[in-house]
Amino acid sequence: PVPVKIRTLNLSYQNLGEEYQYEQMLSFLKINAGVACLALTDNFLTDLHGFHMPFLQELFVARNNFQTFNDIPGLPELRRLGIEENFITNLEGLNPKKYPKLVRLTLKLNP
């Protein structure tokens, strides 16, 4: 396993929906792949393409532009997902194979 250097990381309010910022975030996360809790709130994100966080247990992506769970990759260790105030209209893409350990899902204020 990857040794955990940074356990909790808050990258909220960083305009990560902009391509350059997003690519920089992916590079930073590659170096810190052992992060267990990640906040990406209010970043204009529409998806998490290229996102690989195999040890992530908590992900907070409130106030972005996600439309479906297909926009978020499978995360084998994810236990908690906060995806409030996005544009999720159904549960397509949400399944136990994709998030086998998910126990808490917060969907408040989606259409």
Side-chain angles (χ1 to χ4, degrees), residues 57-73:
Q57 295 177 14
E58 298 180 82
L59 177 62
F60 302 99
V61 291
R63 292 191 300 277
N64 279 290
N65 296 318
F66 295 104
Q67 296 184 13
T68 172
F69 287 97
N70 292 326
D71 298 331
I72 300 172

Side-chain angles (χ1 to χ4, degrees), residues 30-97:
K30 189 174 183 179
I31 296 167
N32 295 284
V35 167
C37 178
L38 178 62
L40 299 174
T41 299
D42 209 351
N43 269 306
F44 306 100
L45 294 168
T46 56
D47 64 45
L48 291 177
H49 64 277
F51 187 85
H52 181 69
M53 299 292 295
F55 303 101
L56 193 64
Q57 295 177 14
E58 298 180 82
L59 177 62
F60 302 99
V61 291
R63 292 191 300 277
N64 279 290
N65 296 318
F66 295 104
Q67 296 184 13
T68 172
F69 287 97
N70 292 326
D71 298 331
I72 300 172
L75 298 164
E77 296 297 320
L78 192 69
R79 298 177 190 287
R80 184 174 178 188
L81 176 60
I83 192 166
E84 306 95 317
E85 297 182 54
N86 277 275
F87 298 95
I88 305 290
T89 58
N90 62 59
L91 300 179
E92 181 183 340
L94 178 65
N95 65 64
K97 289 181 182 177

